[in-house]
Amino acid sequence: MFFNYILSGSVNIVATFLFCFVILFIKVLLYTKVMSMKCIKFFLCLLFLFLFFSCNKKSPLFQLVTSEHSNIHFSNLIVENDSINPIDVTNIYNGGGVGIGDFNNDGLQDIYFTGNMVSNKLYLNRGKLKFEDITNIAKVSGDGKWCR
């Protein structure tokens, strides 16, 4: 049960290695009959305390930003029909993509989305995860062409 807990990633890797080291150390000392019961209890208490304090909940690496906050409204919508479908167009869902770069040299990363059946979009980063759609100004909508 405890090994499943360790392998599930709930305990950090340092605690896992320490646990394995202490268990191995206790087994070796018991085998050689060098260790007393007091030492075993001490090591087990130390191990328990370390594992207990190493199991802390970490904050998430990413958080959801709504499209209302960011002003990014892009969806690469693909409408299938009798001539545009995965059987006839093998890579129908492989097209499109995202390009991230500082297009206007202001030090902020801008976003360029390409679409298969929708217009491309260029969003200029205004800071604090707020973007402005400048696709028409930059004339990079793709003119209705299929982008890959």
Side-chain angles (χ1 to χ4, degrees):
M1 176 79 172
F2 185 75
F3 288 106
N4 290 339
Y5 181 66
I6 289 174
L7 295 175
S8 70
S10 299
V11 178
N12 68 29
I13 195 74
V14 175
T16 305
F17 282 123
L18 181 69
F19 174 77
C20 294
F21 175 74
V22 169
I23 295 299
L24 181 66
F25 186 68
I26 289 172
K27 283 186 175 186
V28 167
L29 291 177
L30 282 176
Y31 180 73
T32 59
K33 298 184 184 193
V34 174
M35 183 181 267
S36 68
M37 236 11 212
K38 281 185 177 180
C39 290
I40 293 172
K41 288 179 182 176
F42 173 75
F43 277 117
L44 289 176
C45 288
L46 185 66
L47 177 66
F48 174 76
L49 286 173
F50 186 79
L51 289 175
F52 180 75
F53 287 111
S54 67
C55 298
N56 55 0
K57 185 156 179 120
K58 296 184 173 127
S59 60
L61 186 60
F62 298 103
Q63 64 182 6
L64 181 64
V65 176
T66 64
S67 59
E68 289 77 25
H69 173 79
S70 66
N71 197 32
I72 293 178
H73 305 282
F74 180 82
S75 177
N76 190 15
L77 182 64
I78 298 173
V79 180
E80 293 183 22
N81 57 37
D82 60 343
S83 62
I84 298 177
N85 57 64
I87 295 171
D88 294 330
V89 183
T90 308
N91 295 323
I92 188 170
Y93 291 106
N94 294 347
V98 179
I100 298 177
D102 186 8
F103 297 114
N104 62 345
N105 294 322
D106 64 353
L108 300 172
Q109 298 297 311
D110 309 312
I111 303 175
Y112 184 65
F113 294 100
T114 61
N116 293 10
M117 302 176 92
V118 297
S119 296
N120 303 333
K121 294 282 187 177
L122 176 60
Y123 290 96
L124 196 65
N125 192 340
R126 295 296 182 191
K128 298 186 180 181
L129 294 175
K130 295 188 183 283
F131 293 85
E132 177 186 352
D133 184 357
I134 61 162
T135 307
N136 294 332
I137 297 168
K139 298 180 182 171
V140 291
S141 67
D143 297 327
K145 295 179 183 167
W146 189 283
C147 292
R148 295 183 192 199

